[in-house]
Amino acid sequence: MKTGLETLVLPAGAAGAEAAARALAAGGLVAFPTETVYGLGADAANATAIAHLYAAKGRPAFNPLIAHVADLKAARRIGRFDARALRLAEAFWPGPLTLAVPKTDGCPVAELATAGLDTVAIRIPAHPVAQAILRAFGGAVVAPSANISGHVSPTLAAHVESDLAGRIDLIVDGGPVTVGVESTIVGCFEAPMLLRPGGLSRERIEAVLGAALARPPMDAESDDSQPLAPGMLASHYAPRAPVRLDAREVAAGEALLAFGPARLAGIDGAAAVMNLSPTADLDEAAANLFGYLRELDAKSPRAIAVMTIPEEGLGEAINDRLRRAAVAR
């Protein structure tokens, strides 16, 4: 792994996009904002760069990566889209949706990035900074979240710098992200399957398909098996402190990740309190999730207690991330 790199931080803009494109073309690692979280980019066709990316993140090499492209024409160069996949792409791209589709013949995405699968995960991000970098670079860019693998995902450039300074070449600072949880992943298999809930709700996808999304097999999310798509390891998105879900009270020494206007017993003695959304707005809660987890974790609490969040809309994605954060390690 490259260590001791001087990690340059540049503001978003034309100069930042050009610098990012040059670094990617040279096999470097570049962090940049998408609408979901900050991604850590590498040239999708460069296996050596991807190996450096895995090493920088400490990411298991069997966990596949999402290839980010600028437009649908570029997406169809690397993946085969049936009618349903095309319908979803046209409805939701650019945006927080990733589609896992069969690779094209001669797909340029390196085998290391697809972890030996015969499918490739593709997304067209909507963030203008990500779009500018992809257009300046001209090819596909794999970009998992720009953090140490398993740690809380980054929603600010400062989060990236905290985890990866000295390990990567460049951070393009585009300010805070807007969605705050990773993209929804749909496997375009014989029956379209929700592989990972995320920034686009199940309900909106099913409305376009006119059918319910299938669920992955029960063993698909074991840490011991090869994931069908990125972000499916059972233990993921984890702060250092243990996470306790569906809290109805706050124990001594715990921090509280609150949701809504209710006050729990013991809250006055909490090590710290942050409320994802005092008005119980799930979009606001998703945008705040990873940043607030990081801030509470920085207080070194005995544990982080999390109030119950409804399993609807973006609540499905929020609860997915929280359950992974709470897996015993």
Side-chain angles (χ1 to χ4, degrees), residues 126-139:
H127 198 291
V129 175
Q131 277 282 326
I133 290 170
L134 289 168
R135 293 190 184 282
F137 177 62

Side-chain angles (χ1 to χ4, degrees), residues 208-301:
V208 168
L209 288 174
L213 287 163
R215 295 183 180 273
M218 290 298 292
D219 63 353
E221 299 192 1
S222 165
D223 278 357
D224 298 322
S225 63
Q226 184 179 37
L228 294 173
M232 291 186 69
L233 292 179
S235 177
H236 210 54
Y237 312 108
R240 288 179 291 274
V243 173
R244 182 169 68 86
L245 303 181
D246 296 319
R248 288 169 171 75
E249 76 290 320
V250 187
E254 287 187 327
L256 175 66
L257 187 65
F259 177 77
R263 285 177 58 83
L264 298 190
I267 192 170
D268 292 333
V273 179
M274 300 196 77
N275 196 319
L276 290 171
S277 176
T279 61
D281 182 290
L282 289 168
D283 289 355
E284 180 184 18
N288 289 331
L289 176 63
F290 290 135
Y292 284 13
L293 273 175
R294 281 178 176 267
E295 288 192 44
L296 291 177
D297 200 36
K299 306 290 186 184
S300 300

Side-chain angles (χ1 to χ4, degrees), residues 178-202:
T178 54
V179 176
V181 292
E182 291 84 358
S183 61
T184 301
I185 303 180
V186 172
C188 297
F189 309 139
E190 185 173 339
M193 181 180 292
L194 182 64
L195 297 177
R196 180 180 76 180
L200 182 67
S201 71
R202 173 197 297 271

Side-chain angles (χ1 to χ4, degrees), residues 8-275:
L8 185 63
V9 181
L10 292 177
E18 290 297 333
R22 288 194 300 271
L24 290 167
L29 304 181
V30 177
F32 57 88
T34 76
E35 69 274 25
T36 57
V37 298
Y38 271 72
L40 179 59
D43 178 358
N46 185 333
T48 301
I50 294 165
H52 291 159
L53 185 153
Y54 279 123
K57 281 180 59 71
R59 184 182 176 95
F62 55 79
N63 198 358
L65 302 173
I66 297 170
H68 295 69
V69 294
D71 52 40
L72 186 54
K73 183 178 178 181
R76 298 185 81 167
R77 283 197 290 267
I78 62 176
R80 299 201 308 272
F81 288 71
D82 64 16
R84 288 173 299 192
L86 197 57
R87 195 182 315 156
L88 292 176
E90 290 172 343
F92 298 118
W93 278 353
L97 174 67
T98 293
L99 297 176
V101 298
K103 295 177 183 177
T104 56
D105 294 336
C107 174
V109 176
E111 286 285 333
L112 186 58
T114 59
L117 299 174
D118 58 6
T119 56
V120 59
I122 309 172
R123 182 162 93 88
I124 301 176
H127 198 291
V129 175
Q131 277 282 326
I133 290 170
L134 289 168
R135 293 190 184 282
F137 177 62
V141 173
V142 291
S145 55
N147 59 326
I148 296 296
S149 188
H151 197 200
V152 181
S153 297
T155 55
L156 295 170
H159 297 160
V160 181
E161 195 168 8
S162 173
D163 269 19
L164 297 177
R167 292 170 173 250
I168 66 176
D169 299 275
L170 174 64
I171 300 170
V172 179
D173 187 350
V177 303
T178 54
V179 176
V181 292
E182 291 84 358
S183 61
T184 301
I185 303 180
V186 172
C188 297
F189 309 139
E190 185 173 339
M193 181 180 292
L194 182 64
L195 297 177
R196 180 180 76 180
L200 182 67
S201 71
R202 173 197 297 271
E203 294 86 348
R204 290 184 64 194
I205 297 167
E206 290 178 341
V208 168
L209 288 174
L213 287 163
R215 295 183 180 273
M218 290 298 292
D219 63 353
E221 299 192 1
S222 165
D223 278 357
D224 298 322
S225 63
Q226 184 179 37
L228 294 173
M232 291 186 69
L233 292 179
S235 177
H236 210 54
Y237 312 108
R240 288 179 291 274
V243 173
R244 182 169 68 86
L245 303 181
D246 296 319
R248 288 169 171 75
E249 76 290 320
V250 187
E254 287 187 327
L256 175 66
L257 187 65
F259 177 77
R263 285 177 58 83
L264 298 190
I267 192 170
D268 292 333
V273 179
M274 300 196 77
N275 196 319

